[in-house]
Amino acid sequence: MDRVRRLLGTKYPIIQGGMAWVATASLAAAVSNAGGLGIVGAGHAPSEWVRQQIRQIRDLTDKPFGVNVMLLSPAVKDVVDVVVSERVPIVTTGAGSPGPYMEALKLAGCKVVPVVASVTLARRLERMGADAIIAEGSEAGGHIGEVSTMALVPQVVDAVAVPVIAAGGIADGRGIAAALMLGAEGVQLGTRFICTTECEAHINYKEAIVGAGERDAVVCGTSIGHPVRALKNQLTRDIAALERQGAGEEELQKLGAGRLRLAFEQGDVLSGSLMAGQSAGLIKDIRPVRELMLSLGEQTEILLGRRIWKD
Ligand code: TUI
């Protein structure tokens, strides 16, 4: 736990997931100011947007922060260039292997913390110089792997010497305490941070998560090798129907394009992609980030029976 706090330079070993569209400078700065690690999600955005967000977060906090590089983005090379030239302290990656960018990021002094969904990739990235590994189970929202958090985290812990951060299905102190029991030294929460005052997502998106039950975050896109978890709605039903008819990648991509933005900006809960994890069923309110962080810390300490978040 102390290894993660030292690596990130934070009070809590708690990272806010670098969610595309949702994780803007407003949310990330609030998390960093509250003692966690706030992350700006580059998603599919152009690199200049990422640069503006980095400048904005530096205006809003003097605490460490990160940027998530989404490796499927067509702008990925330019985004890496921006992250390098802005000397972002922590870089997380998602949806692929950051291997080709590892050297440039390390040379620029960035701490690189890739998200993985397998033991194989965790091992490979440790050899390439990853400073820690985020092991994300299939309970998570958005683009996911196949193995659940409960099974994946201890296997990654056994496979690498660098600190492991658990993600997927965690939304309260019970989840954090459980992840620490699995050998993780930190946690990453995504869906829980959407339901905060400082998150700029449309209120309909936040309220859909608050209203969701344990079976409402479903997976689409498995047939084309891009499983994505989002709240069940007209869009997920249309995608599932196309998949049953054996639709190809192009047709499905066309149907899915721009849908996350529709949910985030317009609050279209029928046709938008409400990416969220299975922890949606656990989330019952929309709260300020500071209040959430304090309660996560307090709940975890009570469960573990000791003070663990010393300043
Ligand atoms: O990246 C995520 N979650 C995401 S990215 C995203 S943007 C998007 N929008 C529309 C369609 C698709 C994506 C939304 N949510 N989480 C981290 C994560 N990475 N989960 C799983 C993985 C992963 C999967 C395979 C990482 C590496 C990987 O490697 C395969 C290989 O090359 O070995």
Side-chain angles (χ1 to χ4, degrees), residues 20 43-44 68 70 72 93-97 115-118 121 124 136 141-145 226 228 260 275:
H44 287 94
N68 176 267
M70 212 283 284
L72 290 172
T93 63
S97 169
V115 178
V116 306
S118 72
L121 189 56
R124 187 144 45 96
E136 185 188 273
H143 181 81
I144 53 169
H226 284 299
V228 169
L260 184 56
M275 291 188 192

Side-chain angles (χ1 to χ4, degrees), residues 109-177:
C110 307
K111 302 289 180 204
V112 184
V113 186
V115 178
V116 306
S118 72
V119 171
T120 315
L121 189 56
R123 278 212 182 94
R124 187 144 45 96
L125 292 171
E126 178 184 45
R127 278 199 303 273
M128 296 176 98
D131 294 280
I133 297 283
I134 302 175
E136 185 188 273
S138 52
E139 296 93 320
H143 181 81
I144 53 169
E146 286 168 13
V147 185
S148 67
T149 304
M150 181 76 97
L152 180 66
V153 170
Q155 294 185 63
V156 174
V157 166
D158 287 347
V160 299
V162 293
V164 174
I165 293 156
I170 306 171
D172 61 18
R174 294 172 296 182
I176 298 175

Side-chain angles (χ1 to χ4, degrees), residues 174-229:
R174 294 172 296 182
I176 298 175
L180 298 176
M181 290 295 121
L182 295 176
E185 295 176 61
V187 291
Q188 175 175 279
L189 281 58
T191 309
R192 177 61 265 195
F193 281 114
I194 301 179
C195 294
T196 58
T197 335
E198 293 89 341
C199 173
E200 294 181 303
H202 196 284
I203 184 71
N204 294 356
Y205 189 172
K206 298 180 187 180
E207 284 178 351
I209 294 172
V210 170
E214 82 282 13
R215 297 197 307 152
D216 289 333
V218 298
V219 182
C220 284
T222 308
S223 69
I224 55 163
H226 284 299
V228 169
R229 190 184 293 284

